[in-house]
Amino acid sequence: GIAYNYYIYDLDSNYNIRFEPEELAALLSITDEESSANSIEALKDLCYNQNLTCPTKIDDLTILDSATLSNNRLIFHYTVTEHAQYTISTMQENKDLIKASFITSLENPDNPIGSYFIKSCAKAQYGITYIYSTQDHMKTATIDISAEEIKDISKSIPDVNND
């Protein structure tokens, strides 16, 4: 099986995710039709499970407030803390660099959960949107990765199914 352990700063506790070998085998033996339908359910589960731990302090500058699904998009809502050394304006000015950094991170095949997440988005034909807001929600910066771009990223990640 596979086990992941996360430390949640705000709760001062560990969060564990474990997949038993039979659960992994079931995930890997799903047909394309089942996979497409199950991908949206997998994304709903991702949002539900992520939201159980929100708000989650990502680092000293960023808090993940929630994850939602809307209009064929997986949306992550973040708050940028007042102690941030960068501003929403700077993020807007550097959207292309930030997006390229996110894509590079998403293409990492060494992260099985991330790979499964990207494959699920691709099969569901969902894009990903990252929305960063100031604490008063007066300013926002949005980074969009289209469903087509997610599909391309997905192609760069090797399948774990060895059939």
Side-chain angles (χ1 to χ4, degrees):
I2 297 176
Y4 293 94
N5 297 310
Y6 297 95
Y7 179 75
I8 301 169
Y9 294 100
D10 294 346
L11 301 176
D12 192 29
S13 63
N14 288 315
Y15 181 67
N16 301 306
I17 300 172
R18 181 171 175 80
F19 293 97
E20 297 298 329
E22 44 287 338
E23 292 173 307
L24 291 171
L27 286 173
L28 298 175
S29 64
I30 293 175
T31 66
D32 283 343
E33 285 180 16
E34 291 171 321
S35 180
S36 181
N38 288 341
S39 293
I40 294 172
E41 288 304 314
L43 294 174
K44 287 179 184 177
D45 287 346
L46 170 91
C47 289
Y48 174 80
N49 289 319
Q50 183 62 61
N51 289 331
L52 289 175
T53 65
C54 285
T56 303
K57 182 178 179 181
I58 304 301
D59 55 36
D60 289 338
L61 310 176
T62 315
I63 297 167
L64 175 61
D65 298 311
S66 65
T68 59
L69 294 177
S70 180
N71 298 323
N72 291 353
R73 303 199 76 66
L74 172 58
I75 305 169
F76 293 101
H77 303 268
Y78 294 92
T79 298
V80 177
T81 67
E82 63 188 60
H83 304 294
Q85 294 178 359
Y86 55 91
T87 63
I88 294 294
S89 302
T90 303
M91 291 180 77
Q92 290 170 335
E93 291 168 11
N94 294 293
K95 269 186 188 184
D96 292 339
L97 290 172
I98 295 169
K99 181 178 176 177
S101 171
F102 286 177
I103 288 173
T104 299
S105 173
L106 293 172
E107 290 173 327
N108 180 359
D110 296 330
N111 179 353
I113 293 288
S115 297
Y116 177 71
F117 155 69
I118 291 301
K119 295 280 186 183
S120 295
C121 282
K123 288 178 183 173
Q125 298 179 23
Y126 272 53
I128 302 174
T129 300
Y130 301 89
I131 300 174
Y132 293 86
S133 300
T134 54
Q135 288 180 314
D136 61 6
H137 297 284
M138 297 299 288
K139 295 181 182 177
T140 62
T142 302
I143 310 295
D144 280 311
I145 302 174
S146 72
E148 232 7 81
E149 290 170 308
I150 293 296
K151 186 177 177 182
D152 290 342
I153 294 168
S154 170
K155 290 176 187 175
S156 72
I157 298 171
D159 286 327
V160 253
N161 191 345
N162 294 326
D163 291 346

